[in-house]
Amino acid sequence: MEKLTQEQITAVDKALWDIGIKYLDIRIEMTDHAAATIESMEGSFERRLKKYIFENKKELKKNYRQFSMNASIKAVKLLISNMFTVRFFMILASVYALLFAEYKYEEFEDATNIFLIICCVSISVFWICWGIINFTRSTELFSTAERLLMRVNGIIFLMAFPLRDIIDKLEINDAVKLLYYAFVISFYIAIWFTYSFLTKFYKSRYRVV
């Protein structure tokens, strides 16, 4: 059984990318499996690769969707675990203290304006950075990290805007309302900490510069 060359393995990787296997970590695992199968087939490499993709395209896409779903679950679990750490509660306390100080010496509306500015800037920066990364390094995205952002960024938007109006209408102390705003900002920070950790972990694991 003839082993595939590095150039041929790269061709397998590209073939998987072409049928929609976008995340690098999943593609690497599927490339290894595909390469082993192709090595056991007869004929020229090009013919074997084409035959493998044609016969397994449906199953490959199905597996990719399952792997992506598992990545989403793993990412959310890690995010939740990061929210039950001393670091998260220290961030929450610091953000609350900042908002409370503004509320104490100014007005409640001034404190909520800080919240809105932070949320608007953060969401804008997220989409700009995410767009740049997807454009410049589209072949080097990791499933767990990217699925985390895709799943929870919409939640952040709902928490920052529609739910804010509901909170503001509640007949509770303004200082208590600030706790909600502090939590939303801290939650967003936790997302970025988790995303950064996942990206560094997978870059190290798959030796991506």
PDB file of all heavy atoms in Angstrom, residues 95 98-99 102 107-126 156-157 159-161 164 168 178 181-182 184-185 188-189 192:
ATOM      1  N   VAL A  95     -16.887  45.500  36.956  1.00  0.00           N
ATOM      2  CA  VAL A  95     -17.790  46.189  36.025  1.00  0.00           C
ATOM      3  C   VAL A  95     -18.948  46.829  36.796  1.00  0.00           C
ATOM      4  O   VAL A  95     -19.342  47.973  36.515  1.00  0.00           O
ATOM      5  CB  VAL A  95     -18.330  45.208  34.965  1.00  0.00           C
ATOM      6  CG1 VAL A  95     -19.380  45.891  34.092  1.00  0.00           C
ATOM      7  CG2 VAL A  95     -17.199  44.676  34.105  1.00  0.00           C
ATOM      8  N   LEU A  98     -17.833  49.970  38.493  1.00  0.00           N
ATOM      9  CA  LEU A  98     -17.711  51.072  37.532  1.00  0.00           C
ATOM     10  C   LEU A  98     -19.068  51.685  37.222  1.00  0.00           C
ATOM     11  O   LEU A  98     -19.239  52.912  37.252  1.00  0.00           O
ATOM     12  CB  LEU A  98     -17.068  50.557  36.246  1.00  0.00           C
ATOM     13  CG  LEU A  98     -16.989  51.549  35.074  1.00  0.00           C
ATOM     14  CD1 LEU A  98     -16.082  52.709  35.429  1.00  0.00           C
ATOM     15  CD2 LEU A  98     -16.494  50.854  33.816  1.00  0.00           C
ATOM     16  N   LEU A  99     -20.050  50.847  36.940  1.00  0.00           N
ATOM     17  CA  LEU A  99     -21.391  51.345  36.634  1.00  0.00           C
ATOM     18  C   LEU A  99     -22.034  52.011  37.853  1.00  0.00           C
ATOM     19  O   LEU A  99     -22.700  53.047  37.727  1.00  0.00           O
ATOM     20  CB  LEU A  99     -22.273  50.191  36.144  1.00  0.00           C
ATOM     21  CG  LEU A  99     -21.881  49.557  34.800  1.00  0.00           C
ATOM     22  CD1 LEU A  99     -22.802  48.370  34.501  1.00  0.00           C
ATOM     23  CD2 LEU A  99     -21.965  50.580  33.675  1.00  0.00           C
ATOM     24  N   GLU A 102     -20.663  55.502  38.457  1.00  0.00           N
ATOM     25  CA  GLU A 102     -21.261  56.450  37.527  1.00  0.00           C
ATOM     26  C   GLU A 102     -22.685  56.793  37.943  1.00  0.00           C
ATOM     27  O   GLU A 102     -23.114  57.949  37.888  1.00  0.00           O
ATOM     28  CB  GLU A 102     -21.246  55.867  36.110  1.00  0.00           C
ATOM     29  CG  GLU A 102     -21.770  56.800  35.036  1.00  0.00           C
ATOM     30  CD  GLU A 102     -20.864  57.988  34.803  1.00  0.00           C
ATOM     31  OE1 GLU A 102     -19.679  57.924  35.191  1.00  0.00           O
ATOM     32  OE2 GLU A 102     -21.351  58.988  34.240  1.00  0.00           O
ATOM     33  N   GLU A 107     -26.309  60.006  37.085  1.00  0.00           N
ATOM     34  CA  GLU A 107     -27.680  59.533  37.090  1.00  0.00           C
ATOM     35  C   GLU A 107     -27.722  58.125  36.537  1.00  0.00           C
ATOM     36  O   GLU A 107     -26.763  57.638  35.926  1.00  0.00           O
ATOM     37  CB  GLU A 107     -28.569  60.459  36.238  1.00  0.00           C
ATOM     38  CG  GLU A 107     -28.713  61.871  36.774  1.00  0.00           C
ATOM     39  CD  GLU A 107     -29.599  62.719  35.886  1.00  0.00           C
ATOM     40  OE1 GLU A 107     -30.013  62.217  34.813  1.00  0.00           O
ATOM     41  OE2 GLU A 107     -29.882  63.866  36.255  1.00  0.00           O
ATOM     42  N   PHE A 108     -28.858  57.445  36.744  1.00  0.00           N
ATOM     43  CA  PHE A 108     -29.002  56.078  36.252  1.00  0.00           C
ATOM     44  C   PHE A 108     -28.862  56.026  34.737  1.00  0.00           C
ATOM     45  O   PHE A 108     -28.242  55.115  34.177  1.00  0.00           O
ATOM     46  CB  PHE A 108     -30.377  55.521  36.670  1.00  0.00           C
ATOM     47  CG  PHE A 108     -30.639  54.129  36.169  1.00  0.00           C
ATOM     48  CD1 PHE A 108     -29.990  53.041  36.718  1.00  0.00           C
ATOM     49  CD2 PHE A 108     -31.536  53.916  35.118  1.00  0.00           C
ATOM     50  CE1 PHE A 108     -30.225  51.750  36.246  1.00  0.00           C
ATOM     51  CE2 PHE A 108     -31.779  52.640  34.643  1.00  0.00           C
ATOM     52  CZ  PHE A 108     -31.129  51.558  35.214  1.00  0.00           C
ATOM     53  N   GLU A 109     -29.403  57.048  34.073  1.00  0.00           N
ATOM     54  CA  GLU A 109     -29.337  57.073  32.613  1.00  0.00           C
ATOM     55  C   GLU A 109     -27.893  57.146  32.121  1.00  0.00           C
ATOM     56  O   GLU A 109     -27.536  56.543  31.111  1.00  0.00           O
ATOM     57  CB  GLU A 109     -30.123  58.265  32.072  1.00  0.00           C
ATOM     58  CG  GLU A 109     -30.193  58.292  30.551  1.00  0.00           C
ATOM     59  CD  GLU A 109     -31.065  59.432  30.048  1.00  0.00           C
ATOM     60  OE1 GLU A 109     -31.822  60.005  30.855  1.00  0.00           O
ATOM     61  OE2 GLU A 109     -30.981  59.739  28.849  1.00  0.00           O
ATOM     62  N   ASP A 110     -27.029  57.870  32.855  1.00  0.00           N
ATOM     63  CA  ASP A 110     -25.618  57.966  32.463  1.00  0.00           C
ATOM     64  C   ASP A 110     -24.928  56.614  32.581  1.00  0.00           C
ATOM     65  O   ASP A 110     -24.109  56.246  31.739  1.00  0.00           O
ATOM     66  CB  ASP A 110     -24.892  58.985  33.348  1.00  0.00           C
ATOM     67  CG  ASP A 110     -25.408  60.398  33.133  1.00  0.00           C
ATOM     68  OD1 ASP A 110     -25.725  60.726  31.970  1.00  0.00           O
ATOM     69  OD2 ASP A 110     -25.517  61.148  34.107  1.00  0.00           O
ATOM     70  N   ALA A 111     -25.280  55.875  33.626  1.00  0.00           N
ATOM     71  CA  ALA A 111     -24.688  54.551  33.817  1.00  0.00           C
ATOM     72  C   ALA A 111     -25.123  53.589  32.716  1.00  0.00           C
ATOM     73  O   ALA A 111     -24.316  52.810  32.200  1.00  0.00           O
ATOM     74  CB  ALA A 111     -25.079  53.998  35.188  1.00  0.00           C
ATOM     75  N   THR A 112     -26.394  53.659  32.347  1.00  0.00           N
ATOM     76  CA  THR A 112     -26.877  52.764  31.281  1.00  0.00           C
ATOM     77  C   THR A 112     -26.319  53.169  29.918  1.00  0.00           C
ATOM     78  O   THR A 112     -26.166  52.324  29.046  1.00  0.00           O
ATOM     79  CB  THR A 112     -28.418  52.760  31.229  1.00  0.00           C
ATOM     80  OG1 THR A 112     -28.896  54.100  31.032  1.00  0.00           O
ATOM     81  CG2 THR A 112     -29.003  52.217  32.522  1.00  0.00           C
ATOM     82  N   ASN A 113     -26.013  54.458  29.763  1.00  0.00           N
ATOM     83  CA  ASN A 113     -25.405  54.895  28.507  1.00  0.00           C
ATOM     84  C   ASN A 113     -24.019  54.274  28.335  1.00  0.00           C
ATOM     85  O   ASN A 113     -23.618  53.922  27.217  1.00  0.00           O
ATOM     86  CB  ASN A 113     -25.300  56.420  28.462  1.00  0.00           C
ATOM     87  CG  ASN A 113     -26.646  57.077  28.179  1.00  0.00           C
ATOM     88  OD1 ASN A 113     -27.555  56.440  27.645  1.00  0.00           O
ATOM     89  ND2 ASN A 113     -26.782  58.332  28.554  1.00  0.00           N
ATOM     90  N   ILE A 114     -23.275  54.158  29.439  1.00  0.00           N
ATOM     91  CA  ILE A 114     -21.966  53.489  29.392  1.00  0.00           C
ATOM     92  C   ILE A 114     -22.146  52.055  28.931  1.00  0.00           C
ATOM     93  O   ILE A 114     -21.393  51.532  28.106  1.00  0.00           O
ATOM     94  CB  ILE A 114     -21.279  53.526  30.780  1.00  0.00           C
ATOM     95  CG1 ILE A 114     -20.889  54.955  31.142  1.00  0.00           C
ATOM     96  CG2 ILE A 114     -20.055  52.620  30.800  1.00  0.00           C
ATOM     97  CD1 ILE A 114     -20.243  55.088  32.506  1.00  0.00           C
ATOM     98  N   PHE A 115     -23.183  51.420  29.481  1.00  0.00           N
ATOM     99  CA  PHE A 115     -23.490  50.033  29.115  1.00  0.00           C
ATOM    100  C   PHE A 115     -23.760  49.914  27.618  1.00  0.00           C
ATOM    101  O   PHE A 115     -23.219  49.040  26.935  1.00  0.00           O
ATOM    102  CB  PHE A 115     -24.711  49.566  29.913  1.00  0.00           C
ATOM    103  CG  PHE A 115     -25.364  48.314  29.389  1.00  0.00           C
ATOM    104  CD1 PHE A 115     -24.815  47.072  29.654  1.00  0.00           C
ATOM    105  CD2 PHE A 115     -26.527  48.383  28.628  1.00  0.00           C
ATOM    106  CE1 PHE A 115     -25.416  45.916  29.166  1.00  0.00           C
ATOM    107  CE2 PHE A 115     -27.133  47.242  28.144  1.00  0.00           C
ATOM    108  CZ  PHE A 115     -26.573  46.010  28.422  1.00  0.00           C
ATOM    109  N   LEU A 116     -24.585  50.815  27.101  1.00  0.00           N
ATOM    110  CA  LEU A 116     -24.937  50.768  25.678  1.00  0.00           C
ATOM    111  C   LEU A 116     -23.721  51.020  24.788  1.00  0.00           C
ATOM    112  O   LEU A 116     -23.556  50.370  23.754  1.00  0.00           O
ATOM    113  CB  LEU A 116     -26.033  51.798  25.379  1.00  0.00           C
ATOM    114  CG  LEU A 116     -27.429  51.451  25.895  1.00  0.00           C
ATOM    115  CD1 LEU A 116     -28.384  52.617  25.639  1.00  0.00           C
ATOM    116  CD2 LEU A 116     -27.952  50.196  25.231  1.00  0.00           C
ATOM    117  N   ILE A 117     -22.882  51.967  25.195  1.00  0.00           N
ATOM    118  CA  ILE A 117     -21.683  52.267  24.415  1.00  0.00           C
ATOM    119  C   ILE A 117     -20.761  51.054  24.352  1.00  0.00           C
ATOM    120  O   ILE A 117     -20.265  50.683  23.280  1.00  0.00           O
ATOM    121  CB  ILE A 117     -20.937  53.477  25.014  1.00  0.00           C
ATOM    122  CG1 ILE A 117     -21.760  54.756  24.813  1.00  0.00           C
ATOM    123  CG2 ILE A 117     -19.547  53.623  24.373  1.00  0.00           C
ATOM    124  CD1 ILE A 117     -21.200  55.961  25.546  1.00  0.00           C
ATOM    125  N   ILE A 118     -20.553  50.410  25.509  1.00  0.00           N
ATOM    126  CA  ILE A 118     -19.688  49.224  25.569  1.00  0.00           C
ATOM    127  C   ILE A 118     -20.247  48.116  24.695  1.00  0.00           C
ATOM    128  O   ILE A 118     -19.514  47.467  23.935  1.00  0.00           O
ATOM    129  CB  ILE A 118     -19.527  48.742  27.020  1.00  0.00           C
ATOM    130  CG1 ILE A 118     -18.727  49.763  27.835  1.00  0.00           C
ATOM    131  CG2 ILE A 118     -18.835  47.377  27.062  1.00  0.00           C
ATOM    132  CD1 ILE A 118     -18.610  49.431  29.309  1.00  0.00           C
ATOM    133  N   CYS A 119     -21.558  47.888  24.777  1.00  0.00           N
ATOM    134  CA  CYS A 119     -22.179  46.818  23.992  1.00  0.00           C
ATOM    135  C   CYS A 119     -22.105  47.101  22.495  1.00  0.00           C
ATOM    136  O   CYS A 119     -21.766  46.222  21.702  1.00  0.00           O
ATOM    137  CB  CYS A 119     -23.633  46.623  24.420  1.00  0.00           C
ATOM    138  SG  CYS A 119     -23.821  45.813  26.020  1.00  0.00           S
ATOM    139  N   CYS A 120     -22.420  48.343  22.113  1.00  0.00           N
ATOM    140  CA  CYS A 120     -22.397  48.696  20.692  1.00  0.00           C
ATOM    141  C   CYS A 120     -20.990  48.584  20.120  1.00  0.00           C
ATOM    142  O   CYS A 120     -20.791  48.033  19.032  1.00  0.00           O
ATOM    143  CB  CYS A 120     -22.932  50.111  20.497  1.00  0.00           C
ATOM    144  SG  CYS A 120     -24.715  50.274  20.750  1.00  0.00           S
ATOM    145  N   VAL A 121     -20.005  49.105  20.864  1.00  0.00           N
ATOM    146  CA  VAL A 121     -18.621  49.043  20.403  1.00  0.00           C
ATOM    147  C   VAL A 121     -18.148  47.595  20.331  1.00  0.00           C
ATOM    148  O   VAL A 121     -17.511  47.184  19.352  1.00  0.00           O
ATOM    149  CB  VAL A 121     -17.694  49.862  21.328  1.00  0.00           C
ATOM    150  CG1 VAL A 121     -16.227  49.605  20.979  1.00  0.00           C
ATOM    151  CG2 VAL A 121     -18.011  51.343  21.217  1.00  0.00           C
ATOM    152  N   SER A 122     -18.473  46.802  21.363  1.00  0.00           N
ATOM    153  CA  SER A 122     -18.030  45.404  21.415  1.00  0.00           C
ATOM    154  C   SER A 122     -18.613  44.596  20.265  1.00  0.00           C
ATOM    155  O   SER A 122     -17.907  43.822  19.612  1.00  0.00           O
ATOM    156  CB  SER A 122     -18.431  44.773  22.756  1.00  0.00           C
ATOM    157  OG  SER A 122     -17.813  45.430  23.832  1.00  0.00           O
ATOM    158  N   ILE A 123     -19.917  44.759  20.035  1.00  0.00           N
ATOM    159  CA  ILE A 123     -20.568  44.008  18.958  1.00  0.00           C
ATOM    160  C   ILE A 123     -20.013  44.430  17.598  1.00  0.00           C
ATOM    161  O   ILE A 123     -19.772  43.590  16.719  1.00  0.00           O
ATOM    162  CB  ILE A 123     -22.093  44.208  19.020  1.00  0.00           C
ATOM    163  CG1 ILE A 123     -22.662  43.515  20.270  1.00  0.00           C
ATOM    164  CG2 ILE A 123     -22.763  43.653  17.764  1.00  0.00           C
ATOM    165  CD1 ILE A 123     -24.134  43.767  20.507  1.00  0.00           C
ATOM    166  N   SER A 124     -19.772  45.733  17.426  1.00  0.00           N
ATOM    167  CA  SER A 124     -19.215  46.224  16.160  1.00  0.00           C
ATOM    168  C   SER A 124     -17.810  45.681  15.937  1.00  0.00           C
ATOM    169  O   SER A 124     -17.476  45.216  14.839  1.00  0.00           O
ATOM    170  CB  SER A 124     -19.176  47.756  16.154  1.00  0.00           C
ATOM    171  OG  SER A 124     -20.480  48.296  16.265  1.00  0.00           O
ATOM    172  N   VAL A 125     -16.982  45.734  16.986  1.00  0.00           N
ATOM    173  CA  VAL A 125     -15.616  45.212  16.889  1.00  0.00           C
ATOM    174  C   VAL A 125     -15.637  43.722  16.581  1.00  0.00           C
ATOM    175  O   VAL A 125     -14.841  43.224  15.781  1.00  0.00           O
ATOM    176  CB  VAL A 125     -14.835  45.473  18.198  1.00  0.00           C
ATOM    177  CG1 VAL A 125     -13.516  44.699  18.205  1.00  0.00           C
ATOM    178  CG2 VAL A 125     -14.578  46.960  18.373  1.00  0.00           C
ATOM    179  N   PHE A 126     -16.577  43.005  17.228  1.00  0.00           N
ATOM    180  CA  PHE A 126     -16.684  41.563  16.984  1.00  0.00           C
ATOM    181  C   PHE A 126     -16.916  41.270  15.514  1.00  0.00           C
ATOM    182  O   PHE A 126     -16.209  40.467  14.902  1.00  0.00           O
ATOM    183  CB  PHE A 126     -17.829  40.965  17.806  1.00  0.00           C
ATOM    184  CG  PHE A 126     -18.298  39.637  17.267  1.00  0.00           C
ATOM    185  CD1 PHE A 126     -17.554  38.498  17.470  1.00  0.00           C
ATOM    186  CD2 PHE A 126     -19.469  39.555  16.516  1.00  0.00           C
ATOM    187  CE1 PHE A 126     -17.971  37.277  16.948  1.00  0.00           C
ATOM    188  CE2 PHE A 126     -19.891  38.354  15.989  1.00  0.00           C
ATOM    189  CZ  PHE A 126     -19.145  37.207  16.212  1.00  0.00           C
ATOM    190  N   ILE A 156     -26.139  37.799  23.063  1.00  0.00           N
ATOM    191  CA  ILE A 156     -25.635  39.071  23.580  1.00  0.00           C
ATOM    192  C   ILE A 156     -26.480  40.233  23.066  1.00  0.00           C
ATOM    193  O   ILE A 156     -26.845  41.146  23.806  1.00  0.00           O
ATOM    194  CB  ILE A 156     -24.164  39.273  23.175  1.00  0.00           C
ATOM    195  CG1 ILE A 156     -23.250  38.424  24.059  1.00  0.00           C
ATOM    196  CG2 ILE A 156     -23.756  40.733  23.289  1.00  0.00           C
ATOM    197  CD1 ILE A 156     -23.163  38.908  25.486  1.00  0.00           C
ATOM    198  N   PHE A 157     -26.816  40.208  21.782  1.00  0.00           N
ATOM    199  CA  PHE A 157     -27.621  41.283  21.189  1.00  0.00           C
ATOM    200  C   PHE A 157     -28.983  41.368  21.881  1.00  0.00           C
ATOM    201  O   PHE A 157     -29.459  42.455  22.214  1.00  0.00           O
ATOM    202  CB  PHE A 157     -27.810  41.041  19.693  1.00  0.00           C
ATOM    203  CG  PHE A 157     -28.652  42.086  19.022  1.00  0.00           C
ATOM    204  CD1 PHE A 157     -28.098  43.290  18.628  1.00  0.00           C
ATOM    205  CD2 PHE A 157     -30.007  41.873  18.793  1.00  0.00           C
ATOM    206  CE1 PHE A 157     -28.872  44.267  18.014  1.00  0.00           C
ATOM    207  CE2 PHE A 157     -30.789  42.840  18.186  1.00  0.00           C
ATOM    208  CZ  PHE A 157     -30.222  44.038  17.804  1.00  0.00           C
ATOM    209  N   MET A 159     -29.759  40.325  24.890  1.00  0.00           N
ATOM    210  CA  MET A 159     -29.578  40.764  26.278  1.00  0.00           C
ATOM    211  C   MET A 159     -29.287  42.255  26.348  1.00  0.00           C
ATOM    212  O   MET A 159     -29.696  42.937  27.292  1.00  0.00           O
ATOM    213  CB  MET A 159     -28.435  39.981  26.929  1.00  0.00           C
ATOM    214  CG  MET A 159     -28.717  38.496  27.107  1.00  0.00           C
ATOM    215  SD  MET A 159     -27.262  37.575  27.675  1.00  0.00           S
ATOM    216  CE  MET A 159     -27.076  38.205  29.337  1.00  0.00           C
ATOM    217  N   ALA A 160     -28.572  42.771  25.345  1.00  0.00           N
ATOM    218  CA  ALA A 160     -28.140  44.158  25.388  1.00  0.00           C
ATOM    219  C   ALA A 160     -29.239  45.139  25.014  1.00  0.00           C
ATOM    220  O   ALA A 160     -29.252  46.271  25.493  1.00  0.00           O
ATOM    221  CB  ALA A 160     -26.941  44.353  24.450  1.00  0.00           C
ATOM    222  N   PHE A 161     -30.172  44.710  24.163  1.00  0.00           N
ATOM    223  CA  PHE A 161     -31.147  45.674  23.667  1.00  0.00           C
ATOM    224  C   PHE A 161     -32.603  45.337  24.022  1.00  0.00           C
ATOM    225  O   PHE A 161     -33.181  45.997  24.885  1.00  0.00           O
ATOM    226  CB  PHE A 161     -30.952  45.863  22.163  1.00  0.00           C
ATOM    227  CG  PHE A 161     -29.586  46.428  21.845  1.00  0.00           C
ATOM    228  CD1 PHE A 161     -28.587  45.618  21.353  1.00  0.00           C
ATOM    229  CD2 PHE A 161     -29.307  47.761  22.078  1.00  0.00           C
ATOM    230  CE1 PHE A 161     -27.318  46.127  21.091  1.00  0.00           C
ATOM    231  CE2 PHE A 161     -28.046  48.292  21.816  1.00  0.00           C
ATOM    232  CZ  PHE A 161     -27.054  47.471  21.331  1.00  0.00           C
ATOM    233  N   ARG A 164     -33.077  44.795  27.700  1.00  0.00           N
ATOM    234  CA  ARG A 164     -32.778  46.011  28.453  1.00  0.00           C
ATOM    235  C   ARG A 164     -34.038  46.829  28.688  1.00  0.00           C
ATOM    236  O   ARG A 164     -34.247  47.367  29.787  1.00  0.00           O
ATOM    237  CB  ARG A 164     -31.740  46.838  27.696  1.00  0.00           C
ATOM    238  CG  ARG A 164     -31.510  48.226  28.283  1.00  0.00           C
ATOM    239  CD  ARG A 164     -30.509  49.015  27.459  1.00  0.00           C
ATOM    240  NE  ARG A 164     -30.398  50.370  27.948  1.00  0.00           N
ATOM    241  CZ  ARG A 164     -31.143  51.388  27.540  1.00  0.00           C
ATOM    242  NH1 ARG A 164     -32.095  51.176  26.627  1.00  0.00           N
ATOM    243  NH2 ARG A 164     -30.980  52.607  28.040  1.00  0.00           N
ATOM    244  N   ASP A 168     -35.538  47.858  32.354  1.00  0.00           N
ATOM    245  CA  ASP A 168     -35.728  49.261  32.728  1.00  0.00           C
ATOM    246  C   ASP A 168     -37.148  49.532  33.227  1.00  0.00           C
ATOM    247  O   ASP A 168     -37.369  50.452  34.032  1.00  0.00           O
ATOM    248  CB  ASP A 168     -35.424  50.174  31.543  1.00  0.00           C
ATOM    249  CG  ASP A 168     -33.924  50.323  31.315  1.00  0.00           C
ATOM    250  OD1 ASP A 168     -33.155  49.932  32.215  1.00  0.00           O
ATOM    251  OD2 ASP A 168     -33.531  50.815  30.240  1.00  0.00           O
ATOM    252  N   LEU A 178     -28.527  47.692  37.660  1.00  0.00           N
ATOM    253  CA  LEU A 178     -27.145  47.791  37.198  1.00  0.00           C
ATOM    254  C   LEU A 178     -26.442  46.435  37.248  1.00  0.00           C
ATOM    255  O   LEU A 178     -25.510  46.190  36.476  1.00  0.00           O
ATOM    256  CB  LEU A 178     -26.368  48.800  38.049  1.00  0.00           C
ATOM    257  CG  LEU A 178     -26.725  50.266  37.859  1.00  0.00           C
ATOM    258  CD1 LEU A 178     -25.895  51.139  38.787  1.00  0.00           C
ATOM    259  CD2 LEU A 178     -26.511  50.693  36.409  1.00  0.00           C
ATOM    260  N   TYR A 181     -26.873  44.821  33.922  1.00  0.00           N
ATOM    261  CA  TYR A 181     -25.998  45.405  32.919  1.00  0.00           C
ATOM    262  C   TYR A 181     -24.553  44.936  33.104  1.00  0.00           C
ATOM    263  O   TYR A 181     -23.854  44.644  32.133  1.00  0.00           O
ATOM    264  CB  TYR A 181     -26.071  46.935  32.976  1.00  0.00           C
ATOM    265  CG  TYR A 181     -27.448  47.485  32.754  1.00  0.00           C
ATOM    266  CD1 TYR A 181     -27.959  48.513  33.539  1.00  0.00           C
ATOM    267  CD2 TYR A 181     -28.247  46.971  31.737  1.00  0.00           C
ATOM    268  CE1 TYR A 181     -29.239  49.017  33.315  1.00  0.00           C
ATOM    269  CE2 TYR A 181     -29.522  47.476  31.515  1.00  0.00           C
ATOM    270  CZ  TYR A 181     -30.014  48.486  32.306  1.00  0.00           C
ATOM    271  OH  TYR A 181     -31.270  48.979  32.091  1.00  0.00           O
ATOM    272  N   ALA A 182     -24.127  44.871  34.367  1.00  0.00           N
ATOM    273  CA  ALA A 182     -22.768  44.405  34.664  1.00  0.00           C
ATOM    274  C   ALA A 182     -22.586  42.959  34.231  1.00  0.00           C
ATOM    275  O   ALA A 182     -21.534  42.569  33.719  1.00  0.00           O
ATOM    276  CB  ALA A 182     -22.475  44.555  36.154  1.00  0.00           C
ATOM    277  N   VAL A 184     -24.188  41.387  31.758  1.00  0.00           N
ATOM    278  CA  VAL A 184     -24.129  41.303  30.294  1.00  0.00           C
ATOM    279  C   VAL A 184     -22.721  41.621  29.793  1.00  0.00           C
ATOM    280  O   VAL A 184     -22.156  40.902  28.959  1.00  0.00           O
ATOM    281  CB  VAL A 184     -25.147  42.257  29.639  1.00  0.00           C
ATOM    282  CG1 VAL A 184     -24.982  42.259  28.126  1.00  0.00           C
ATOM    283  CG2 VAL A 184     -26.566  41.843  29.997  1.00  0.00           C
ATOM    284  N   ILE A 185     -22.122  42.701  30.311  1.00  0.00           N
ATOM    285  CA  ILE A 185     -20.771  43.083  29.907  1.00  0.00           C
ATOM    286  C   ILE A 185     -19.767  42.003  30.302  1.00  0.00           C
ATOM    287  O   ILE A 185     -18.891  41.633  29.511  1.00  0.00           O
ATOM    288  CB  ILE A 185     -20.383  44.436  30.540  1.00  0.00           C
ATOM    289  CG1 ILE A 185     -21.291  45.551  29.998  1.00  0.00           C
ATOM    290  CG2 ILE A 185     -18.915  44.759  30.259  1.00  0.00           C
ATOM    291  CD1 ILE A 185     -21.102  46.888  30.687  1.00  0.00           C
ATOM    292  N   TYR A 188     -19.975  39.015  28.052  1.00  0.00           N
ATOM    293  CA  TYR A 188     -19.308  39.262  26.774  1.00  0.00           C
ATOM    294  C   TYR A 188     -17.798  39.082  26.919  1.00  0.00           C
ATOM    295  O   TYR A 188     -17.145  38.501  26.043  1.00  0.00           O
ATOM    296  CB  TYR A 188     -19.621  40.665  26.279  1.00  0.00           C
ATOM    297  CG  TYR A 188     -19.447  40.825  24.792  1.00  0.00           C
ATOM    298  CD1 TYR A 188     -20.513  40.605  23.930  1.00  0.00           C
ATOM    299  CD2 TYR A 188     -18.224  41.180  24.242  1.00  0.00           C
ATOM    300  CE1 TYR A 188     -20.369  40.732  22.559  1.00  0.00           C
ATOM    301  CE2 TYR A 188     -18.063  41.314  22.875  1.00  0.00           C
ATOM    302  CZ  TYR A 188     -19.144  41.085  22.041  1.00  0.00           C
ATOM    303  OH  TYR A 188     -18.985  41.199  20.690  1.00  0.00           O
ATOM    304  N   ILE A 189     -17.247  39.575  28.016  1.00  0.00           N
ATOM    305  CA  ILE A 189     -15.811  39.409  28.272  1.00  0.00           C
ATOM    306  C   ILE A 189     -15.471  37.932  28.406  1.00  0.00           C
ATOM    307  O   ILE A 189     -14.441  37.470  27.898  1.00  0.00           O
ATOM    308  CB  ILE A 189     -15.393  40.178  29.545  1.00  0.00           C
ATOM    309  CG1 ILE A 189     -15.562  41.681  29.318  1.00  0.00           C
ATOM    310  CG2 ILE A 189     -13.947  39.853  29.927  1.00  0.00           C
ATOM    311  CD1 ILE A 189     -15.338  42.518  30.563  1.00  0.00           C
ATOM    312  N   TRP A 192     -15.085  36.256  25.057  1.00  0.00           N
ATOM    313  CA  TRP A 192     -13.812  36.511  24.384  1.00  0.00           C
ATOM    314  C   TRP A 192     -12.659  35.762  25.045  1.00  0.00           C
ATOM    315  O   TRP A 192     -11.737  35.304  24.367  1.00  0.00           O
ATOM    316  CB  TRP A 192     -13.543  38.011  24.338  1.00  0.00           C
ATOM    317  CG  TRP A 192     -14.295  38.657  23.228  1.00  0.00           C
ATOM    318  CD1 TRP A 192     -15.415  39.425  23.309  1.00  0.00           C
ATOM    319  CD2 TRP A 192     -14.009  38.546  21.823  1.00  0.00           C
ATOM    320  NE1 TRP A 192     -15.839  39.806  22.058  1.00  0.00           N
ATOM    321  CE2 TRP A 192     -14.999  39.285  21.131  1.00  0.00           C
ATOM    322  CE3 TRP A 192     -13.022  37.902  21.094  1.00  0.00           C
ATOM    323  CZ2 TRP A 192     -15.012  39.388  19.734  1.00  0.00           C
ATOM    324  CZ3 TRP A 192     -13.040  38.001  19.705  1.00  0.00           C
ATOM    325  CH2 TRP A 192     -14.019  38.738  19.050  1.00  0.00           C
TER     326      TRP A 192
END
